[in-house]
Amino acid sequence: MPPAREGAHVTSDDATALIGLDWGTTSLRAYRIARDGRVMERRERDAGILRVADGGFAGALAGAVGGWPLDGRVPILAAGMIGSRQGWREVPYVGCPAGLAELAAGLGTVAMPDGSPVHLVPGLLLEGPAGDFPDVMRGEETQILGDLAGGRDADACCYLLPGTHSKWAWCERAGRIARFATYMTGEVYEVLTRHSILGRLMSSGAAPDAADAFGRGLAQAARSAAGSPGRLLHDLFGARTLGLTGGLPPEGLASYLSGLLIGAEVAAVTAGDGVGTVVILGSGTLAPLYARAAGAAGLDAVVGEVDAVARGLHAIARAAGLIRGTDDA
Amino acid sequence: MPPAREGAHVTSDDATALIGLDWGTTSLRAYRIARDGRVMERRERDAGILRVADGGFAGALAGAVGGWPLDGRVPILAAGMIGSRQGWREVPYVGCPAGLAELAAGLGTVAMPDGSPVHLVPGLLLEGPAGDFPDVMRGEETQILGDLAGGRDADACCYLLPGTHSKWAWCERAGRIARFATYMTGEVYEVLTRHSILGRLMSSGAAPDAADAFGRGLAQAARSAAGSPGRLLHDLFGARTLGLTGGLPPEGLASYLSGLLIGAEVAAVTAGDGVGTVVILGSGTLAPLYARAAGAAGLDAVVGEVDAVARGLHAIARAAGLIRGTDDA
């Protein structure tokens, strides 16, 4: 079924059962969701938590979902950094393994000016082994559980969510997220291209990857992983010397760096964990790069549920008793 | 012999035989050197090549060595980024293996306003294996050859030169630099602390490493190297989550990150290469951190020749016939 257009007429069959929000650092995505989980309308606003001044979250929410029922009759459920220390209210992390029941039990609540509640999905905390460090996520757990709710075999796959901080997650057959790992690859790429000496030789050209610089970066990462693991801090310098010596054109250097970093990430995950099929959740420019890197490393990569976060919000809302599904009727 | 004080009286025995310059990106170090290689006077100026406007290198040089003989009778030899594309003149790299003879044969020359020459030491280029990337250095080769000139057994050690871009180098018994590798560790630390999300939780306190955060970072790097090599892009996130969860105090997070990065570098070098004794060339705050990381990895670390660059400049000048040593007399 195609997604409804913004502002489509709401019939009685299309009664809004849930307003779902994916509220991250830079953007706010809002979904008007039917009782059976269908997305009837979606909106995206440039209103991430870092762009909302003075804690004006209620106003930002009302602005984003203008025209939707906000009188307290329709539950509102939000996932993502809105539940972090920098968000509307910090909702304590829930420990792994965690599925719908654990997230539903850990919901936090804030109030709109009229007193009606907005429910916040908690993030996940994975305690590391003794001496290791913990890992955290906020928002991705909802996407993963949304994809799982579509009937995916959790045992045969792992999830990959590309982004500034990419997340890899492994689930139990019972539908719970067992463990996950964050890789700072995207942010490392950003700061190196924008603030390090590597950016000085880079230029963006009309054909930015004519030399398949991304593929060369992937190949270098694979060689290093096979021969001298952990060489990334050395390999980075290649994104300078290949520019200095004419081994790559200036407009290929950023892609080479991207290949080096994403290749190193995929190699590290592959070395440390069983992977199976990689289910990639997320659109944008990073997803195809990760799909290619996974393929180059011999992994099967598939694209997951497009509306995973909306499906996850619906499933969590049902688990929390905020709405009843059609099969409860 | 203690170094002479700035402006010490020049006796006939102390005739200046060479003005040696270590001219890098941020600073200019000048040495007045006797025929036997002794450093008679040293000066340091805030006049690195990026701080010299409009190519005014001759003026910067004259300003730094005011009062020293600049009339063309005493040769002037400079090493470092002054011979790069951003310097006074780009001197082509010399390939590895390279020792005093190869560097002497590759000297470049520029002229002072009176026409007297300033000789520039070339940098080194290491061609990678097919498909790999090349590596380069400018300035460190002179330090290494200066230390070797003191009689160190090149076969039993490798060199480590900490810095924004640290260099590891392996030499032949014949006194030539055989190969080397650059690690961007210092710059990665800088950009992550200054420009990434990791810096947000960091603070500098009165007791910046009371929790031995540096040691914890080293330990994490060692665990990763042993278990899941290449995990650095994941491990970086620990410098956030340990702050988020109270596992480390805010004033320890930068040290933890430093330990993670330096530990990963040392683990990568150790995994890929024979190391033996590590000779650390360079002072400053990084040298003791690297010494500790090397020790934690089971390597022997010793401090190399303090005036290595001046000794190297003297040895190269002799090899080039710019001066004659006392044993030629």
Side-chain angles (χ1 to χ4, degrees), chain B residues 5 36 44 46-47 69 99 106 121 129 135 141 143 146 151 174 182 213 225 229-231 244 295 306 314-315:
Chain B
R5 282 161 293 128
D36 65 358
E44 181 164 356
D46 185 21
V121 177
D135 210 329
E141 73 295 324
Q143 293 177 257
T182 302
R231 278 207 338 171
L244 280 177
V306 172
H314 178 259

Side-chain angles (χ1 to χ4, degrees), chain A residues 221-282:
Chain A
R223 270 196 302 279
S224 290
S228 178
R231 279 206 337 170
L232 180 60
L233 292 166
H234 170 53
D235 288 345
L236 295 176
F237 199 55
R240 174 163 173 80
T241 62
L242 287 171
L244 280 176
T245 59
L248 273 176
E251 59 272 20
L253 294 172
S255 286
Y256 181 79
L257 177 63
S258 174
L260 267 185
L261 289 166
I262 292 177
E265 173 181 342
V266 171
V269 172
T270 311
D273 286 294
V275 173
T277 297
V278 180
V279 180
I280 301 179
L281 293 179

Side-chain angles (χ1 to χ4, degrees), chain A:
Chain A
M1 175 178 316
R5 282 159 294 126
E6 217 171 270
H9 177 66
V10 181
T11 70
S12 57
D13 285 345
D14 281 343
T16 304
L18 175 69
I19 293 175
L21 305 171
D22 177 13
W23 204 337
T25 304
T26 55
S27 71
L28 165 58
R29 293 184 186 83
Y31 301 88
R32 193 164 62 78
I33 301 171
R35 197 163 62 126
D36 65 358
R38 279 179 305 125
V39 174
M40 297 186 292
E41 194 176 342
R42 54 171 63 71
R43 296 183 183 174
E44 181 164 357
R45 292 290 183 273
D46 186 20
I49 63 166
L50 295 183
R51 294 169 174 171
V52 173
D54 301 326
F57 297 109
L61 195 168
V65 304
W68 296 3
L70 273 185
D71 56 3
R73 285 178 301 128
V74 173
I76 305 173
L77 180 61
M81 291 297 281
I82 189 65
S84 73
R85 204 170 298 176
Q86 293 79 38
W88 201 335
R89 172 171 296 174
E90 184 173 11
V91 183
Y93 292 109
V94 168
C96 281
L100 296 174
E102 289 79 7
L103 291 175
L107 294 186
T109 307
V110 289
M112 293 293 279
D114 69 356
S116 63
V118 174
H119 303 279
L120 304 177
V121 177
L124 289 195
L125 172 73
L126 177 70
E127 293 284 359
D132 206 337
F133 59 88
D135 209 329
V136 294
M137 62 167 56
R138 280 199 193 269
E140 295 90 350
E141 73 294 326
T142 302
Q143 291 178 260
I144 294 166
L145 293 177
D147 184 87
L148 276 179
R152 179 140 1 236
D153 179 2
D155 258 9
C157 70
C158 78
Y159 283 99
L160 161 60
L161 296 91
T164 303
H165 296 174
S166 68
K167 308 279 182 183
W168 295 74
W170 289 260
C171 299
E172 301 171 340
R173 186 174 292 273
R176 299 195 302 177
I177 299 170
R179 62 197 171 82
F180 59 93
T182 302
Y183 283 74
M184 288 190 62
T185 309
E187 186 165 11
V188 169
Y189 173 82
E190 278 294 312
V191 297
L192 288 176
T193 53
R194 296 177 61 174
H195 300 290
S196 88
I197 198 170
L198 297 183
R200 291 202 206 149
L201 297 174
M202 292 176 179
S203 78
S204 51
D209 212 11
D212 190 23
F214 182 76
R216 286 183 62 180
L218 285 182
Q220 180 63 47
R223 270 196 302 279
S224 290
S228 178
R231 279 206 337 170
L232 180 60
L233 292 166
H234 170 53
D235 288 345
L236 295 176
F237 199 55
R240 174 163 173 80
T241 62
L242 287 171
L244 280 176
T245 59
L248 273 176
E251 59 272 20
L253 294 172
S255 286
Y256 181 79
L257 177 63
S258 174
L260 267 185
L261 289 166
I262 292 177
E265 173 181 342
V266 171
V269 172
T270 311
D273 286 294
V275 173
T277 297
V278 180
V279 180
I280 301 179
L281 293 179
S283 53
T285 55
L286 281 174
L289 298 179
Y290 273 93
R292 181 169 169 199
L299 309 177
D300 289 324
V302 301
V303 174
E305 165 66 44
V306 173
D307 276 329
V309 74
R311 291 191 180 279
L313 288 164
H314 178 259
I316 294 167
R318 280 193 62 196
L322 298 176
I323 52 173
R324 294 190 310 155
T326 46
D327 51 348
D328 302 328

